[in-house]
Each structure stands twice: as C-alpha cells, then as structure tokens.
C-alpha cells in the first residue's frame, strides 16, 4: 500500500469511527429515554394495581421490567466501550453473498432501521473468523451448522479515548503486532481482558463445546485463568437466553484471587455469577459453621523446617484426598441406609393394615435410591400420607356399611323392644366413638410412623467417625492399628481441613441433598491441580452435574502432597471431558522462561517444557547476599521502578513475607498480600509469599532468600517455579548462593 493510499484509508477509518461514535451516542440517548419510560410505566402499574384482580397489572410490570433490563443492559454495554468501540475488522465474503467489512468489538451494535451490524460482538460465530481464520477460503460454524466463505483481510486498530491512532493489516502467518505490544506493556495489579489479542489455541478452548466438561493443562503464563474467564463470557453470551448467570460458579483458590479478577468480569460482560472459594461454598451449601485449617496453613507447616508433618500424617492426608476416602464415605452412607431400612414396619390404622413395611422398604432401597436419604424419606412420607387418606376413606366406608347393616338387622330382627333398643344404642355409640377415633388416628398416623426416622446430623456423624476407634476399624478394615491411631490423633481438635469439608459436602449431598440455591449448573475451577480427587468427586456429587471447566498446571501443584499429581484420574472422574493443553507462555521473556524450564527439568513428573513467545529481555540477575538487607532491596527496587510499574518481592513462606514487610515499611510504601487481602491503590511494592503468587503477574520480581533456602524436594521446586514465572520483564534473585535457588553455581 502506497503512502497516499494508506493516508486515504486512514481518513476513511477515522470517518467510520466518528460515525460509529455518533450513532452510539444516539443509541445511548435512546436507551436512557427507554429506561425512564419503562420506570414510569412500572410505577404507574404499581400505583394502579388491583389486588383482587391484578393479573393485567402484574403482566404490565413484568413486561416493562423486561424492557427496562434490555435497555439498561444495552446502555451499560455501550458505555463500557465508548472510548474503544471496536478493535478489529475482517474483510469477508460469505459464499454466494456480497463482500462486507465486519467490525469486531466487546459488544454488538446494530442499525435500528436496517438491522445491519455496525459492530459485531467478539463472542459471535462470525467473529471466530478473525481469531481462527487465515486469509483465503474457510469455514465456520453457527449453532453446529457449517458455513463457508472467503477471508480477504484482517485489520487491527489501536484506538484510545475515542481516537484512532493507527491500524495494522495482519495474518496468522505474520507476527501479531498487537499481541507483541500487549506483552511488552506493563502488568496491572488486576487481571485484564484480552479480547483483542486472543490466540488460536486460546480461542479453541474459549469456544470448545459448551455442553461438555473440559480440562486444560496450561503452562505458567499461558493465560489459562484469563481464558477460563473469557469462556464464562462466551458461555453466557451463547447460552444466556436459557441460563441464569446465578447458576454459574467460579471456585477461586482464595479471596485475593477474587479481588484480582474483579475488574475483568464486567469488562467482558459477566455479572451476577457466584464467586467463592471451596471452603466458603461448602459451609454455605451445608449451612455449617466449621473451624477450618486451610490448605495454606497446612502448606506452611510443610515448608517450615521446625514444624513439618510426619510421613504417617502425610500418608493420611493423601488418603483423605483420594477417591478411597470417597469410598469410605459411601460405607458410612450405606451403614445409615441399612440402619434406616431396618426401621420399616407395616403401617396400621387401628387394626387395619394400610401399607406393608416390605413395600416401603423397597421404595427406600430401590425405587428412590437415586435420591439423598432424607429426600427418599420425604417422598415416602408423601406416599404414606396419600395412601392413609385413600385407605381411611375405604375403611370408613366399610365400617359405616358394617354398622348400618348391623343396626338394620337389629331393628328388623329383634322383636323385644327393650333388647332392640339396647343393641341398637350399643352399636350407635360404638360407631359414633370408633369412627371419629379412626379419623383422628388417621390424621396423625403418618407423622407418628415417620417419627422413628430422626434427622441425621451430618457434622456429628462425621466427627463421631473420625474420633472413634470402633467405627474406624469397622469401616476401614484396610487400616492397621498405627494408621487408625495416627488418624484419630490428627482429629482430636475440632478443626477441619479442606478434605474434611469435601467429605462433609459428599455426606451432606448423599444424606440431605444440596439446597437448590447452591446447586450450580456450571462450575469453573482455577488452579485445579491444587484440588484433591475427593474435592472434585464431592463437588460432582453435590451439584449433580459434570459441567466443569477446569484449568491448572501440574508444574505449579504446590499442594501435591494431598492433591492431583496427574490428570488421568480427573479425566476418569469426568468421563465426558475433553482435554486441552496450552504450552505457550505469553507472560515471561525467553530469558526468564529458560531459567524456569531448568526447574521443570528437575521435577520427577515428565512435564513438557514451556514455549515462550518470541520476546526477549534482560536475563535474570543474581545478587549475592548472605543475610536479608533492607537497604539492598530498596536500592534494587529504586532501580527497577525507573522502568516498571508493578514490582513484587516474593518470599518462600508467609512468615518470611511478614518479616520483609516489617523490615521495609520504614523505607517504602509496601503491602503484604494475604489470602483475604484487598489490593490497595498507589502501593509501591507488593510483598507476596510464593504460594499466594500463583495467578498473579508483575513487571518485575525480586525473589528473596530471607531465612530458608529452597530444597530439592517437590514442594520447594514448585513454589520456586511459581515465583520464577510471575515476572513479565525482570527477575532478580537475592540470596547467599545460586544453589539456594536450586540453580547450578555460575548459571546466571
């Protein structure tokens, strides 16, 4: 393209942008008027409502509420993209249709007169051509139906504050300059959207079959968390008409993560979904208040030399995290089922048998076996109640006929007046006493019969199990004396671990069932490698769905002593799941990733090396320091702050992070990140323990040895790998030797 042609094209693009902005302002003004009108109509309907015959008024309110919500949603969507209406354009021709220019943004905008698209939502099927399509002939799907066309060109725009700065014509065969520019930019203290730079392998996961579970192994920096959140956005866009956002749940590793993703969700059109941690979800879904020892606290015990867990304790923790423990919970449930089944006897009213106990037992054990125990009993109660009502009418009719016949015979057959009177009076009195008595008995029969089935207290049931020698020997014959003793000693205190919560959730699901408000239909789990199989099985059982999107990285499995160490068991549990990998890292430079890959090679899990995107930077630097020196740290921070916005110190443990924070607070404005931290504005330096750094990224990282070096054991290797892979541009190691970072001397 000549300079003149480019200039002419640029002017045309500017004019198109201005025209789009003007139309957006028109629609925004219109939406505001529609919102005001809908509000007025709702108020009018509320004022005029007739409580005796209010169907029309209620219909009016519902209709106008719908109009209000549509107008509000459109207004919010357009206001969010005012400064950047779109980010890309495709020059495309559908087969047997004219060529067209399709502009792609974060929300759709249509001409209200012609219904022609002005902007197409990035989640729409046609936008997939931009993300996936090379130039030339191609196909794309719309609701599983394949369409074909020809892609002539793809164009990316740099628009800021409503002004067009530049554009670039690109193809997948060329370097994506927009991506490179994004990667070379500064990290934020919060996660940001990536709709303009989504890569093909990421797009495949975002748009993967929405009615099947998916498991994603994503390398550090591959964007797996961001991709999972964009998949949520795509899901709601595609399925939203038939799906309530409230029925979708994000399970986050901690509350800090929820804070970290807070800004991205509204940016990609996601709201009203449930965001929580596993621990919080269990307590809310079961309505139990429990003292929980978190995974982080357990991890701290493991990495602290002075308070490490014994091999016997670790073995128990591993067993509690396995599907073996689910089998043990099933044994507890089956014991309760047997106990309850033995309580079924025949149902009587007076001397009349209403229902056989054997039939009720069969209902409980067979017909209603798909239900939780207490739901089965509720159904059986309804069955008994219905049968009692029906049989009572029949009994009353039989008795009435019997008494009527007897009295009739007495009146007609006894000639002695006195005797006839005595006999008739006797039967009348008996009838008048007996039949109301039966009616009264019938009213309480079901309640009295069901009173033998007392409510099961799940918390108490589980606590009795974990503290009882007798029950443990009975229910876990696989364990010997030492294992039982270790197990009981670990549960003497009424403090619950994550896998105790998983066990309680599983028991609660099988015994009581989960309330509808907490029965989510779709679940997104980040850092799934830190979940145990027991947790995943409990969630699947409780939610009665396998619609899980799970993303994780085995190389970052810092809780592997109790959690997933390979994906095979997860794929067996979720048998319908598809499996995908993201091995490209978009976060770190080649130089930093080379060092991180050296750690991967040390791990005994045959993990593939991460492929960094072609982006070079400074090699990681090693600063020799035998003791933690605040002034040394301050000096390096001041050097880094000249070119970077977000800088973090990462320590091995939380205890060390607190020590660093106290050491630096007189020199710099610092914030110590903890599981429930809220990110503060205008912080110069963040201090993060390694286990909390997962998922976060910073322009520069100072990795400090404070008190304790890293050891060549799985937990330390993974904590260190997490720390290494947080830096986008600069990584500085401060410690006594390179060996203290598990790197050979003179390696940097």
């Amino acid at each position: 393209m000549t300079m003149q042609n480019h200039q002419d094209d640029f002017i045309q693009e500017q004019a198109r942008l201005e025209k789009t902005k003007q139309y957006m302002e028109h629609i925004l003004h219109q939406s505001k008027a529609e919102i005001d009108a809908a509000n007025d109509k709702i108020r009018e309907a509320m004022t005029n409502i007739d409580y005796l015959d209010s169907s029309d008024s209620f219909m009016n309110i519902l209709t106008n509420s719908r109009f209000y919500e549509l107008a509000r949603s459109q207004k919010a969507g357009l206001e969010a993209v005012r400064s950047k209406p779109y980010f890309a354009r495709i020059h495309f021709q559908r087969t047997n249709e004219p060529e067209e220019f399709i502009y792609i943004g974060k929300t759709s905008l249509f001409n209200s007169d012609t219904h022609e698209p002005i902007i197409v939502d990035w989640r729409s099927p046609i936008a997939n051509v931009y993300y996936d399509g090379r130039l030339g002939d191609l196909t794309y799907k719309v609701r599983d139906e394949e369409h074909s066309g020809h892609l002539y060109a793809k164009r990316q725009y740099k628009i800021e504050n409503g002004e067009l700065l530049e554009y670039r014509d690109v193809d997948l065969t060329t370097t994506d300059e927009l991506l490179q520019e994004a990667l070379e930019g500064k990290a934020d203290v919060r996660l940001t959207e990536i709709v303009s730079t989504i890569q093909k392998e990421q797009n495949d996961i975002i748009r993967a079959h929405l009615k099947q579970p998916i498991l994603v192994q994503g390398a550090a920096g591959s964007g797996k968390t961001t991709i999972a959140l964009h998949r949520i956005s795509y899901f709601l866009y595609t399925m939203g008409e038939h799906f309530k956002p409230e029925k979708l749940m994000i399970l986050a590793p901690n509350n800090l993560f929820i804070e970290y993703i807070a800004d991205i969700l509204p940016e990609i059109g996601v709201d009203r979904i449930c965001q929580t941690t596993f621990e919080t979800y269990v307590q809310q879904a079961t309505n139990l208040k429990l003292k929980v020892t978190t995974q982080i606290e357990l991890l701290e015990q493991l990495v602290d030399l002075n308070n490490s867990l014994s091999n016997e304790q670790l073995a128990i923790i591993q067993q509690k995290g396995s599907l073996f423990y689910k089998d043990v919970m099933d044994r507890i449930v089956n014991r309760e089922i047997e106990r309850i089944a033995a309580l079924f006897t025949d149902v009587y009213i007076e001397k009349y048998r209403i229902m056989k106990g054997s039939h009720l037992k069969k209902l409980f054990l067979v017909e209603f076996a798909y239900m939780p125990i207490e739901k089965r009993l509720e159904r059986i109660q309804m069955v008994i109640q219905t049968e009692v009502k029906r049989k009572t009418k029949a009994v009353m009719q039989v008795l009435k006929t019997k008494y009527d016949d007897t009295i009739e015979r007495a009146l007609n057959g006894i000639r002695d007046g006195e005797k006839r009177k005595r006999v008739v009076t006797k039967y009348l009195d008996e009838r008048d006493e007996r039949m109301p008595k039966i009616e009264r008995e019938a009213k309480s029969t079901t309640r009295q019969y069901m009173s033998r089935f007392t409510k099961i207290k799940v918390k108490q049931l589980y606590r009795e199990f974990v503290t009882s020698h007798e029950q443990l020997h009975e229910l876990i014959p696989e364990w010997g004396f030492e294992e039982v003793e270790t197990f009981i000693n670990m549960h003497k205190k009424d403090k619950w671990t994550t896998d105790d919560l998983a066990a309680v959730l599983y028991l609660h699901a099988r015994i009581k069932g989960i309330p509808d408000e907490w029965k989510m239909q779709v679940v997104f789990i980040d850092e799934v490698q830190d979940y145990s199989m027991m947790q995943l099985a409990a969630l699947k059982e409780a939610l009665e769905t396998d619609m899980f999107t799970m993303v994780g990285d085995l190389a970052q499995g810092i809780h592997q002593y109790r959690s997933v160490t390979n994906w095979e068991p997860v794929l067996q549990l979720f048998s319908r799941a598809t499996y995908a990998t993201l091995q490209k890292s978009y976060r770190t430079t080649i130089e930093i990733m080379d060092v991180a890959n050296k750690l991967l090679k040390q791990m005994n899990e045959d993990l593939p090396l991460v492929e960094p995107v072609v982006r070079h930077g400074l090699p990681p630097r090693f600063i020799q320091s035998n003791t933690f020196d605040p002034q040394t740290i301050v000096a390096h921070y001041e050097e880094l702050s000249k070119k970077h916005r977000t800088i973090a110190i990462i320590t091995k443990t939380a205890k060390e992070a607190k020590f660093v924070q106290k050491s630096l607070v007189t020199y710099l404005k610092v914030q110590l990140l903890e599981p429930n931290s809220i990110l503060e504005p205008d912080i110069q330096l963040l201090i993060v323990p390694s286990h909390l750094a997962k998922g976060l990224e910073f322009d520069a990282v100072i990795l400090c040895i404070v008190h304790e070096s890293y050891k060549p054991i799985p937990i330390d290797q993974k904590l260190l790998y997490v720390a290494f892979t947080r830096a986008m541009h600069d990584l500085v190691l401060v410690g006594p030797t390179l060996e203290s970072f598990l790197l050979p001397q003179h390696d940097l």
Side-chain angles (χ1 to χ4, degrees), residues 205 225 266 352 360 363 410 424 525-526 564 632 691 736:
I205 292 168
T225 298
Y352 296 96
L360 293 173
L363 288 177
V424 169
I525 300 179
D526 196 27
V564 172
T632 299
H691 57 262

Side-chain angles (χ1 to χ4, degrees), residues 34 60 68 81 153 183 190 193 263 267 282 320 387 671 689:
E34 288 172 357
N60 204 353
Y68 171 85
V81 299
L183 297 178
R190 295 178 186 270
E193 54 84 11
D263 288 348
E267 280 189 36
V282 172
K320 284 177 69 177
E387 198 65 5
Q671 181 184 2

